[in-house]
Amino acid sequence: MERAPWLFWGVVVFLFSPICEGKVHYHKWKINYQSWAPDCMQVQVISINGKYPGPTVRAQVGDTIVVELDNQMATENVVVHWHGIRQIGTPWNDGTPSMSQCAINSGETYIYRFVVEKAGTYFYHGHYGLQRSAGLYGSLIVDPAGKEPFSYDGELSIILNDWWHKSAYEQAIGLSSNPFVWVGEPHSLLIEGRGKFNCTTVSADNSNTCNTTHSQCSPHVLRVKQGKTYRLRIANVASLSALNFLIQGHKMTVVEADGHYLEPVEVDNLDVYSGESYSVLITANQDPANNYWAALNVRGRLPKTPTGLAILNYLPNPSAELPTSPPPPSPLWNDFAYSKALAKKLVALKGHEEVPPRQSHRQLVFLNTQNKINGFLKWAINNISLVPPPTPYLAAMKYKIRNAYDTTPPPDVYAPRNYNITVPPPNPNATEGNGVYVLRMNSVVDVILQNANTLTPNNSEIHPWHLHGHDFWILGYGDGVFDPAKDPKKYNLVNPPLRNTAALFPYGWTALRFKADNPGVWAFHCHLEAHLFMGMGVMFAEGIERVGRIPRSSMGCGLTRNKFMRHP
């Protein structure tokens, strides 16, 4: 006897019914510019519902987050990236313009809807132009459905950032100019959107724009009680700076990074690169009669920015009672051996994280270089500087739209293979491109990030690399040129940490491994704002045929606008 078709569809509806889902968390955001004084200097920041930083988004594993984003900026498009959220089944909501979606035009509303599948400390930020540098960011926290492998009495959360007084527009124009105009080192370092600029350096004509007594730049306060242990969630959204965080008189035990558990390791201070997030445990075990500094310093660049400060406030002491001793120092800014040793201490918690496959199916070797194109300063990977096309890759590949992007495969390795990483490139010229690395679905991919000298002699920079849509295992770090015959033998295949962001140190290499198991098109790029803006990134695609129907609301630009937006 033939089964009634309604029975089959009834089972499908039941299995995928919202009844089986977690809670839905609805947020309505109005995005606009707002006058603010993050470091006591009055500037324009991008605010959410009139506030800076943006509101904390919090949910539990399996819950759905819905954000109705109303772009009220009169002259600017916008997108928001949910950093660390894999967007499984919703790749169009990754929040990358010209990659996963069209930018949200001025006056338009877009609805982000996605499920959070993994507990951890995350954040969100603008991914259009330099909007992260303009202040568009906030915390995103996902709680587990059950217990965690560590305990604590209370929870605190901070976002770290660097800050300039020049607008994102001014910065972008300088980056796009010939000759190149550099904004310079940050004016301030912010902890939870608050810092302190020396207003005495401001000219008399602008003295009314800088006020050290402004409530918006009073130090952020971390309130604790003596004897209690706290989970401090830390995320770095910096546009340029690698940062080192420490708390006066207190040890920190690192237990989580980028949403994955780590073997607990006690540290005096913690390097936090742009795009990284951590959970550390701190115990309020010092003299409760005092307050203590939480301090933030620049790593990897000659520091020209004052220390960022917050207050660890032992209740019931007044939060305005400043510590009497000076802030603790961080390691020397160029002590890269210290930074590498610290990075190697962070390994996966046994029994809680998946171990990597023993072998990969494909190896990509990406040479990071600073270059020029027609006299304009650029960054490039294997001599190609990424310029995303007007039509989002995701829709172009899903619907096989012709002439939307360069279909020529980009190179898997750099040439020539004897490239000297210790000197500026003899031929600095690169080319622009927007090709895609097409990965076989469910294949295992190794990426070797190879650093090199910039156009300036004796200079190589830290590049924090972030992968959208996936987490990767950090298999190892090394100095000099990666040796494909010898260096893989040194890989950590036992307990490497799973991350979504990894540091590439000067004149060295970093080896990553990931599974291409998330249908979509995903950006992989340096998380420094200027570097991605100037072309330091690549695109990965996998399982495009498995991507569901893309909402029209994400395709109102480029060739998709003509193809899909003619009729309602």
Side-chain angles (χ1 to χ4, degrees), residues 96 104 268 306:
T96 47
I104 306 163
D268 294 315

Side-chain angles (χ1 to χ4, degrees), residues 217-426:
C217 63
S218 61
H220 181 66
V221 178
L222 299 165
R223 294 179 173 85
V224 299
K225 293 182 179 179
Q226 208 274 337
K228 300 293 185 180
T229 296
Y230 295 84
R231 178 184 192 168
L232 174 60
R233 298 180 184 265
I234 305 169
N236 183 356
V237 299
S239 297
L240 173 69
S241 307
L243 299 171
N244 181 266
F245 178 78
L246 65 168
I247 301 176
Q248 186 178 35
H250 294 72
K251 302 280 189 179
M252 296 181 289
T253 301
V254 189
V255 293
E256 178 238 334
D258 295 355
H260 293 279
Y261 297 125
L262 300 175
E263 288 289 349
V265 57
E266 188 177 79
V267 297
D268 294 315
N269 55 80
L270 182 64
D271 287 339
V272 189
Y273 302 99
S274 178
E276 290 188 332
S277 59
Y278 288 95
S279 286
V280 300
L281 301 181
I282 58 172
T283 299
N285 55 10
Q286 298 300 300
D287 185 351
N290 300 321
N291 289 338
Y292 300 85
W293 292 115
L296 191 61
N297 292 297
V298 172
R299 301 283 288 146
R301 305 177 68 87
L302 181 62
K304 298 180 181 178
T305 308
T307 299
L309 296 172
I311 304 295
L312 187 70
N313 172 213
Y314 272 65
L315 297 173
N317 298 333
S319 60
E321 186 178 293
L322 300 182
T324 55
S325 55
S330 291
L332 290 175
W333 68 273
N334 57 355
D335 188 351
F336 297 116
Y338 180 93
S339 295
K340 293 173 195 174
L342 180 59
K344 291 176 181 178
K345 288 181 181 178
L346 305 180
V347 297
L349 180 60
K350 184 178 180 180
H352 285 268
E353 300 294 348
E354 183 183 2
V355 297
R358 303 296 296 180
Q359 302 291 333
S360 66
H361 300 106
R362 185 176 179 182
Q363 183 186 82
L364 305 172
V365 185
F366 290 157
L367 178 67
N368 293 228
T369 55
Q370 194 177 53
N371 300 80
K372 287 193 173 182
I373 298 178
N374 299 323
F376 291 87
L377 194 65
K378 298 290 182 179
W379 290 93
I381 301 303
N382 293 355
N383 214 44
I384 298 174
S385 185
L386 179 66
V387 180
T391 304
Y393 290 102
L394 182 65
M397 297 186 77
K398 166 71 176 175
Y399 298 113
K400 297 180 173 58
I401 300 174
R402 300 182 64 183
N403 302 318
Y405 63 96
D406 185 0
T407 56
T408 304
D412 282 15
V413 297
Y414 62 89
R417 292 296 286 134
N418 63 349
Y419 181 93
N420 188 347
I421 68 166
T422 64
V423 296

Side-chain angles (χ1 to χ4, degrees), residues 125-134 168 171 175 237-240 274 526-534:
H125 61 82
H127 215 295
Y128 184 85
L130 302 181
Q131 288 178 341
R132 196 172 85 234
S133 181
Q171 295 180 46
L175 297 175
V237 299
S239 297
L240 173 69
S274 178
C526 178
H527 206 258
L528 303 185
E529 282 270 82
H531 291 193
L532 174 59
F533 186 82
M534 297 162 66

